[in-house]
Amino acid sequence: MKTGAYGLRELAMAIKWGTQANIDLLTIDGAPGGTGMSPWRMMEEWGVPSIYLHSAAVEFANYLKAKGEPHLCDFAFAGGFSTEDHIFKAIALGSNHVKAVCMGRALMIPGFVGNNIDKWIKNNDLPKTVSEYGKTPEEIFVSYEQVKDKVGADEMKNIPLGAVGIYSFCDKLRVGLQQLMAGARCFRVHAITRNELMSLTRECSEVTGIPYVMDCYRQDAMKILDEEASFSII
């Protein structure tokens, strides 16, 4: 089931009733969100912003779990995500509840760009912003050979360049997420927790429950400072 950037009452309905109906996944789409049929102002400005809505979803899920709810439905977070650090933060914020991160326009854009490049190549009309990287699909798309290896050389001529663009963007997300996970020493997606996050403002800390940057790990830091030296300097 998918829900939009509604208020807390409707969010509680979706989580509680979705769980009672034994649904597998609840997609919670914050603002900016919406489909291609939504009014632009709705996609950009109406409804509850993603960080607020998703934080409330985690709060409500933990509340139901503490009350003894045995089979809470899993969440997918959506609403303006476009980069690998967005994916990492969404998974971390909803740790133990979020199983997927959804993207809409972020994935449509490279598809449209790929289709435009296809038309420009056929019309011999590549703009300079593209031609500076190459004049053929093999030169322009960094993941062209990867797609070719997967589908075969004969089938490659039937693959739209829009699809190659989407594949290239997804591969960029994959590599970026792996780098962030390696830096956080989280070598499986389920190992990403809220401990990997800190809030840069007091308001963010209040909304999300993630410690403020000047409070995060402060107790650990003071413990280190208070420990007796366990080594000697020669």
Side-chain angles (χ1 to χ4, degrees):
M1 183 171 73
K2 179 182 182 296
T3 186
Y6 309 127
L8 298 188
R9 176 175 175 269
E10 288 75 18
L11 177 64
M13 290 178 183
I15 296 174
K16 180 68 177 290
W17 297 345
T19 293
Q20 291 177 339
N22 293 320
I23 65 172
D24 296 314
L25 187 71
L26 173 64
T27 298
I28 302 171
D29 193 354
T35 68
M37 296 179 65
S38 303
W40 187 251
R41 297 280 287 195
M42 173 183 176
M43 295 178 72
E44 290 298 312
E45 299 176 12
W46 299 0
V48 181
S50 298
I51 186 71
Y52 295 86
L53 191 66
H54 296 154
S55 296
V58 173
E59 179 187 349
F60 291 173
N62 289 336
Y63 180 80
L64 287 177
K65 194 172 182 180
K67 286 185 63 176
E69 178 59 56
H71 302 295
L72 197 68
C73 62
D74 291 328
F75 294 162
F77 281 172
F81 298 131
S82 61
T83 60
E84 54 270 21
D85 58 306
H86 291 167
I87 297 173
F88 186 93
K89 287 186 284 188
I91 293 173
L93 179 66
S95 178
N96 297 324
H97 300 295
V98 172
K99 306 302 180 185
V101 176
C102 303
M103 293 183 176
R105 283 173 282 172
L107 287 170
M108 296 177 191
I109 292 170
F112 285 126
V113 170
N115 283 336
N116 287 338
I117 290 174
D118 191 18
K119 295 176 184 177
W120 293 329
I121 289 176
K122 290 176 180 177
N123 296 331
N124 196 25
D125 190 29
L126 275 175
K128 187 177 179 180
T129 53
V130 177
S131 62
E132 63 179 332
Y133 298 104
K135 300 186 184 304
T136 66
E138 293 86 345
E139 294 172 339
I140 295 171
F141 294 94
V142 67
S143 296
Y144 187 91
E145 294 300 328
Q146 289 179 254
V147 178
K148 183 177 178 181
D149 290 340
K150 288 181 178 294
V151 303
D154 292 337
E155 179 62 21
M156 192 62 193
K157 63 179 178 294
N158 298 319
I159 302 297
L161 292 187
V164 179
I166 292 174
Y167 182 95
S168 299
F169 183 73
C170 289
D171 194 55
K172 176 256 186 188
L173 294 176
R174 176 185 65 83
V175 173
L177 183 57
Q178 286 178 331
Q179 289 176 330
L180 289 170
M181 291 172 63
R185 298 299 185 264
C186 299
F187 299 106
R188 293 289 187 275
V189 173
H190 63 74
I192 302 174
T193 69
R194 292 165 67 91
N195 291 333
E196 273 66 66
L197 300 178
M198 59 179 65
S199 296
L200 294 183
T201 66
R202 296 286 186 185
E203 181 185 4
C204 181
S205 180
E206 180 182 351
V207 169
T208 63
I210 301 295
Y212 179 55
V213 61
M214 293 304 293
D215 298 327
C216 193
Y217 294 111
R218 176 173 288 274
Q219 291 183 349
D220 293 341
M222 298 309 297
K223 183 178 178 181
I224 292 172
L225 296 176
D226 288 336
E227 285 179 349
E228 295 293 333
S230 58
F231 60 91
S232 59
I233 300 176
I234 300 177

